[in-house]
Amino acid sequence: MAAAEQIFSAGGKRMRPALVLLVSRATAQLAGLKDINPQHRRLAEIIEMIHTASLIHDDVLDESDVRRGKETIHQLFGTRIAVLAGDYLFAQSSWYLASLENMEVIKLISQVIKDLANGEIKQASSLFDCDMTLQAYLDKSFYKTASLIAASTRAAAIFSGVSSEVCQRMFSYGMNLGLAFQIVDDILDFTQSTEQLGKPAGSDLAKGNLTAPVLFALEDDQELRRIIDTEFMEEGSLEMAVKLVQKGKGIERAWALAKQKGNEAKSCLECLLPGSLRSSLEGMVDYVLERRY
Amino acid sequence: MLMAAADQIFGASGKKIRPALVFLVSHATAQLTGLSEITPQHRKLAEIIEMIHTASLIHDDVLDDSDKRRGKETVNRVFGTRVAVLAGDFIFAQTSWLLANLENLEVIKLISQVIKDFASGEIKQTTSLYDCDITMQDYLRKSYCKTASLVAASAKGAAIFSGTSNEVKENMYDYGKKLGLAFQIVDDILDFTRSSEQLGKPAGSDLRKGNVTAPVIYALEKQPALKRLIQTEFINPEDLDTAIELVHQSGGIERARELARNMGDSALDCLSCLQKGPMRSSLEGMVDYVLERLH
């Protein structure tokens, strides 16, 4: 319980449940419903639980990577609780999902949980791989981040009872928003200072996780490729690589890609009624693209 | 690497009791409802159950930091914590998805409850390590969550896919639950009575970790000295051996055996709704098999 309080009361942005509630309201409006229903609210909770559970396990995966050999009691205790807490949250969300008794939504969200695991695996198996394509990066970003968001916005539409076309649009909205979000996240890992991030810049790169800015930069920069191939064995090579990415066109092109996804997301909103809800959903895209932290 | 991890755990010699049980109950209940044979859903259920079981073992080994499982090294020992957590997550996710695609709400809810129970049971166990005030009730509840819940749900699931009456579904659930509890109690007894080679992992390992099981709960009633040894977490090198000896001397193991037998008899009672024949006999045989492991 202490672990649960720790993670849930920490300053998360709660973006995902906010999104679910917004899409719930917007599609309910479209369907002529007076208000959103209990399933909508439950869906928002479930999505945040799944997201939190995946974060908890991600931290375990990252920690274990850094240490080799026997862990300290403290670290072992931390890992145990983390694995357990993550499992418990996944289990709880699974159960709440089943209790919603909607076959389509159950299948949709089950796919997400599969995608989350898949995304982790894809990332782990392509570390330091300079031949990784942009498509592979987008696929991985979909599995790790956008899938959950896309499924949640689609599910919200399903619970409003709108047409399958609108459900599909809401899926695309969530997907493109999620991709934009991930790309921006990856850019910020290079553009923010240590103080803002709370950790050294280039932490993705340090682990061999090659993201959009790097992939773009690699197209023109042989030196960058060489350094990455060494897996930053040489001292100062990581800092050098970060500088190379920052100086080249990689970040600029990544921003362009993020904006493109953002625009695609916005275009999916055209099926909704103009008004404050639709504006808020457009605003979500702006929020994602304007993030500085 | 994930495939190698999968080979490590699936290739090891697990008993595959759970899927066998699903098949037996599937056949027995199909017979009851007049189906000529078992359905694809029955088969898929058996696969799902074994996957869930395996995924939970992988995570358990991470939590326990265990070295051996099914006579081989654990996934976490060979590939590290990271791959083990990922492998467990991946398998759980796959089962979630396979389950959803069976498109049976009742079974989905049933199995989702199991996964919740697993996590719950693990938490209960973790928070009551070295706790000598644990009651038999607590122990049975914990054993239900960790072991019997899955067996119960798989038996009931098989009945659901055969389309039996609610009464039969509940009987199958109870059968599975009692069989599962008997299985766990026997497992806990064997941790005291068997050698390392036979178990596939070190003897007395439950006690060493502070996991207080049936034989110990009974022993604590007769041997107050045992309490101190457990509460001090076997701080002296010879404490664990002394504790194991005390458990043997107290008659705790014999009382646990009796508990297991009673549980087994109770399981047999649940089978009376099934038609007499080889299927029902096999299910009765399952109970015997579980209890015979004691010898």
Side-chain angles (χ1 to χ4, degrees):
Chain A
M1 287 273 54
E5 272 167 30
Q6 175 81 1
I7 189 90
F8 282 112
S9 58
K13 291 183 288 298
R14 308 283 199 283
M15 192 194 80
R16 289 163 186 76
L19 210 60
V20 169
L21 293 173
L22 278 176
V23 174
S24 297
R25 287 190 206 283
T27 50
Q29 196 180 52
L30 203 61
L33 298 176
K34 280 206 226 94
D35 195 7
I36 62 174
N37 49 50
Q39 285 102 316
H40 283 129
R41 294 176 204 279
R42 197 21 72 81
L43 178 67
E45 290 172 19
I46 290 170
I47 295 302
E48 187 65 7
M49 283 170 80
I50 292 174
H51 172 58
T52 305
S54 70
L55 287 184
I56 293 175
H57 272 196
D58 275 0
D59 288 343
V60 170
L61 299 179
D62 289 343
E63 266 182 15
S64 306
D65 190 44
V66 172
R67 288 157 194 92
R68 291 181 182 281
K70 198 95 176 84
E71 274 113 70
T72 63
I73 301 293
H74 170 75
Q75 274 154 21
L76 204 56
F77 184 76
T79 302
R80 273 165 104 132
I81 295 299
V83 174
L84 209 41
D87 283 353
Y88 188 70
L89 277 175
F90 270 126
Q92 283 276 55
S93 62
S94 241
W95 189 83
Y96 281 127
L97 186 63
S99 302
L100 285 179
E101 307 217 341
N102 184 306
M103 212 59 242
E104 200 184 349
V105 170
I106 290 173
K107 286 166 89 168
L108 193 59
I109 309 282
S110 300
Q111 180 66 47
V112 171
I113 299 183
K114 221 169 86 133
D115 289 345
L116 284 173
N118 222 2
E120 269 312 311
I121 290 166
K122 275 204 193 329
Q123 183 169 291
S125 56
S126 60
L127 295 176
F128 296 108
D129 179 6
C130 291
D131 292 319
M132 185 176 148
T133 63
L134 191 70
Q135 188 57 48
Y137 163 77
L138 289 170
D139 286 344
K140 187 212 76 182
S141 302
F142 172 76
Y143 290 130
K144 287 198 67 171
T145 306
S147 174
L148 180 60
I149 298 175
S152 62
T153 48
R154 184 185 192 134
I158 289 171
F159 281 133
S160 292
V162 288
S163 71
S164 59
E165 196 199 321
V166 173
C167 291
Q168 184 53 39
R169 290 279 154 79
M170 290 304 99
F171 182 87
S172 291
Y173 167 76
M175 178 179 87
N176 284 296
L177 181 70
L179 288 174
F181 184 87
Q182 185 61 59
I183 297 166
V184 171
D185 226 41
D186 295 339
I187 292 169
L188 292 177
D189 193 52
F190 284 96
T191 60
Q192 287 197 306
S193 72
T194 305
E195 298 91 62
Q196 283 171 313
L197 273 173
K199 47 179 178 163
S203 61
D204 286 334
L205 192 54
K207 283 182 248 151
N209 182 15
L210 308 184
T211 60
V214 177
L215 294 175
F216 283 130
L218 275 170
E219 287 177 18
D220 305 317
D221 197 333
Q222 284 310 310
E223 177 62 12
L224 181 60
R225 171 180 277 255
R226 192 196 63 78
I227 298 176
I228 294 173
D229 281 342
T230 67
E231 301 191 13
F232 310 115
M233 282 298 181
E234 307 156 13
E235 206 182 308
S237 58
L238 176 62
E239 289 73 18
M240 176 54 106
V242 171
K243 276 206 178 62
L244 284 173
V245 173
Q246 286 169 338
K247 284 205 311 227
K249 290 260 189 307
I251 289 173
E252 204 177 295
R253 290 176 68 188
W255 274 119
L257 181 64
K259 285 198 189 82
Q260 183 202 343
K261 295 297 173 198
N263 287 334
E264 276 182 46
K266 282 187 181 175
S267 70
C268 296
L269 297 173
E270 279 155 24
C271 58
L272 299 173
L273 302 173
S276 57
L277 290 165
R278 178 165 146 185
S279 303
S280 294
L281 288 169
E282 283 161 0
M284 265 297 197
V285 178
D286 297 330
Y287 168 73
V288 162
L289 292 174
E290 279 153 26
R291 278 165 70 220
R292 287 293 175 266
Y293 53 91
Chain B
M1 182 176 269
L2 214 64
M3 291 273 53
D7 282 341
Q8 180 79 8
I9 186 83
F10 283 111
S13 54
K15 291 179 291 296
K16 314 279 202 298
I17 285 188
R18 291 161 188 76
L21 205 67
V22 172
F23 279 121
L24 283 176
V25 176
S26 297
H27 280 286
T29 50
Q31 199 176 50
L32 209 56
T33 58
L35 293 175
S36 52
E37 58 171 28
I38 66 175
T39 67
Q41 284 99 323
H42 281 128
R43 294 177 204 281
K44 198 99 269 188
L45 179 66
E47 288 175 26
I48 290 171
I49 295 302
E50 186 64 7
M51 283 168 78
I52 291 175
H53 173 57
T54 304
S56 71
L57 289 184
I58 295 176
H59 273 194
D60 274 0
D61 288 339
V62 169
L63 296 176
D64 295 339
D65 197 27
S66 302
D67 289 326
K68 297 197 91 182
R69 165 70 67 186
R70 294 174 174 169
K72 287 173 80 166
E73 282 191 287
T74 55
V75 175
N76 52 303
R77 185 57 65 222
V78 178
F79 298 98
T81 304
R82 182 201 180 114
V83 172
V85 174
L86 203 45
D89 283 353
F90 186 71
I91 298 174
F92 270 129
Q94 285 278 57
T95 61
S96 225
W97 188 81
L98 286 170
L99 192 60
N101 281 287
L102 285 179
E103 306 220 343
N104 184 306
L105 221 41
E106 201 182 349
V107 173
I108 290 172
K109 286 167 88 169
L110 192 61
I111 309 284
S112 302
Q113 181 66 50
V114 172
I115 302 190
K116 222 170 84 133
D117 289 340
F118 265 149
S120 223
E122 205 51 51
I123 288 169
K124 273 201 224 306
Q125 185 168 292
T126 305
T127 52
S128 59
L129 292 176
Y130 303 105
D131 178 5
C132 293
D133 294 321
I134 181 177
T135 64
M136 188 50 75
Q137 184 87 333
D138 295 329
Y139 165 77
L140 289 172
R141 174 78 209 157
K142 187 208 76 187
S143 302
Y144 170 76
C145 287
K146 286 197 66 176
T147 305
S149 175
L150 182 60
V151 184
S154 46
K156 181 172 180 174
I160 291 172
F161 282 131
S162 292
T164 66
S165 67
N166 285 336
E167 195 198 321
V168 173
K169 288 177 195 170
E170 289 319 307
N171 275 319
M172 289 303 97
Y173 182 85
D174 276 338
Y175 166 77
K177 174 174 161 177
K178 282 153 184 166
L179 182 71
L181 286 175
F183 184 87
Q184 186 61 57
I185 297 166
V186 170
D187 226 43
D188 294 338
I189 292 168
L190 292 178
D191 193 56
F192 284 95
T193 60
R194 279 212 183 158
S195 69
S196 308
E197 298 89 58
Q198 285 170 312
L199 273 175
K201 47 179 176 160
S205 59
D206 287 334
L207 196 53
R208 183 183 302 116
K209 280 180 254 151
N211 183 15
V212 174
T213 60
V216 180
I217 294 173
Y218 284 130
L220 278 166
E221 289 174 15
K222 298 270 169 61
Q223 298 276 13
L226 185 55
K227 187 167 181 169
R228 191 190 57 81
L229 293 171
I230 296 172
Q231 284 179 332
T232 58
E233 303 187 16
F234 312 110
I235 198 160
N236 300 311
E238 69 278 9
D239 279 357
L240 182 62
D241 288 332
T242 309
I244 292 173
E245 192 50 45
L246 282 173
V247 172
H248 277 277
Q249 279 171 16
S250 67
I253 289 170
E254 194 41 58
R255 287 174 70 190
R257 274 199 190 110
E258 171 135 15
L259 180 66
R261 277 187 220 112
N262 288 341
M263 208 53 89
D265 285 339
S266 206
L268 289 173
D269 289 340
C270 299
L271 298 174
S272 54
C273 61
L274 300 173
Q275 290 170 5
K276 285 202 165 87
M279 293 302 158
R280 180 168 146 181
S281 302
S282 294
L283 288 169
E284 285 162 359
M286 264 297 193
V287 176
D288 294 332
Y289 169 72
V290 164
L291 293 174
E292 262 153 36
R293 286 166 71 227
L294 287 170
H295 308 306

